Amino acid sequence: ALDTDVQSWLTRVASASGTVSAGTQSAVNTFVLAAKANGYFSKFRRINLFCGDAAASLVPLVNTSGGTTDTNNSTTYAEATGRVGGGTAYLDTGYTPTQAVGGHSVYLRTTQASAATVRIPVGVRNTDSSQVFRIAGNSNGEGVTTAGAVNASWGNLITVGTPQANTTGGLVAALWHYIRTSSTSGKLYKNGVEVGSMTSAISHASPGFAFYVFANNGAGTANAFLEASSAIGAVAFDDGTMTGTHAANYYTDVQAFQTALSRQV
């Protein structure tokens, strides 16, 4: 007996001509039950666990925001690795953020080696970089001054010195998760542990463009790609009301899911 949200997802998978093995169905069901028991499943606006066959992997488990499926732009897929992109390949979620608060997270399976080039696993901005929604790493500019830093934003102006949630150590393989809970509070988590925060007031508006995965959507043009052949095991967007406890439990639960598919990092 599968959870009703899992059943709904499988119906949408079938409509997209996708298939999911019994073992993977069980792993997804276990994740959903854990997320509900831990009180955060209803906070997702969109989440894709990238599992099943190729067609199924483009169907989000939750898609109350964004497109019915993720639109593939040359990424490849195998369940043992998740979606693989970067270089010039990316996904379009169809989700244009309009909300003043929210969060985004990405289960990055491939450490980004370069410390001098901006790499963005999930992001979008408008034409003048004043409404920037992203997780970015290995940058020597664009909001940080130290190569190897990671920063995150939800509706920020991106210039050096602008308030963002920052940490160091580079964009390594991990679950990266940023939650902006108010105009004066944003927290960056790495594997469920808070590693950076933002406490300065910033104004918000929609960028008018949709989130990309494996790259930034720079006013309709993909840029700041991950390195070629980078793998991602999940991407999610939440409503900004997750607590630190939710973030920690989310990591534990999604890590268990990735482990069930033998692709944990």
Side-chain angles (χ1 to χ4, degrees):
L2 297 174
D3 179 89
T4 55
D5 284 295
V6 179
Q7 294 177 36
S8 173
W9 170 65
L10 289 172
T11 298
R12 289 182 284 113
V13 165
S15 296
S17 301
T19 60
V20 183
S21 70
T24 298
Q25 289 181 35
S26 178
V28 173
N29 196 63
T30 298
F31 169 78
V32 171
L33 293 177
K36 289 183 175 182
N38 286 321
Y40 64 84
F41 185 79
S42 62
K43 301 179 184 300
F44 287 123
R45 291 172 174 152
R46 185 180 187 87
I47 179 171
N48 195 334
L49 296 175
F50 298 135
C51 60
D53 68 0
S57 72
L58 295 173
V59 180
L61 176 61
V62 175
N63 67 342
T64 55
S65 296
T68 303
T69 64
D70 290 328
T71 300
N72 186 28
N73 292 274
S74 302
T75 69
T76 59
Y77 174 77
E79 192 171 65
T81 57
R83 274 278 154 190
V84 177
T88 59
Y90 64 97
L91 296 176
D92 182 349
T93 68
Y95 171 29
T96 298
T98 60
Q99 302 91 346
V101 296
H104 35 45
S105 55
V106 58
Y107 191 91
L108 181 64
R109 299 192 64 247
T110 307
T111 294
Q112 302 300 290
S114 171
T117 302
V118 178
R119 305 291 184 184
I120 298 180
V122 57
V124 59
R125 65 168 175 80
N126 68 1
T127 54
D128 62 2
S129 298
S130 62
Q131 295 301 331
V132 179
F133 299 70
R134 72 179 192 180
I135 295 172
N138 297 340
S139 172
N140 61 358
E142 286 205 67
V144 296
T145 56
T146 304
V150 177
N151 64 70
S153 57
W154 182 277
N156 290 50
L157 169 68
I158 299 299
T159 56
V160 173
T162 299
Q164 293 181 78
N166 288 281
T167 189
T168 57
L171 197 57
V172 299
L175 175 67
W176 293 97
H177 186 190
Y178 179 68
I179 309 171
R180 178 177 171 185
T181 58
S182 73
S183 63
T184 58
S185 179
K187 295 183 178 181
L188 175 62
Y189 296 86
K190 176 185 175 184
N191 290 339
V193 177
E194 183 181 337
V195 292
S197 63
M198 183 279 296
T199 57
S200 299
I202 54 176
S203 60
H204 162 274
S206 172
F209 300 91
F211 279 108
Y212 285 173
V213 185
F214 295 100
N216 181 60
N217 183 352
T221 300
N223 57 29
F225 290 90
L226 293 187
E227 293 164 355
S229 301
S230 294
I232 288 177
V235 64
F237 306 88
D238 60 78
D239 65 5
T241 65
M242 281 199 190
T243 64
T245 299
H246 289 142
N249 286 332
Y250 170 38
Y251 167 67
T252 298
D253 299 339
V254 79
Q255 182 72 352
F257 171 79
Q258 303 294 338
T259 300
L261 270 60
S262 299
R263 62 186 198 193
Q264 74 274 17
V265 295

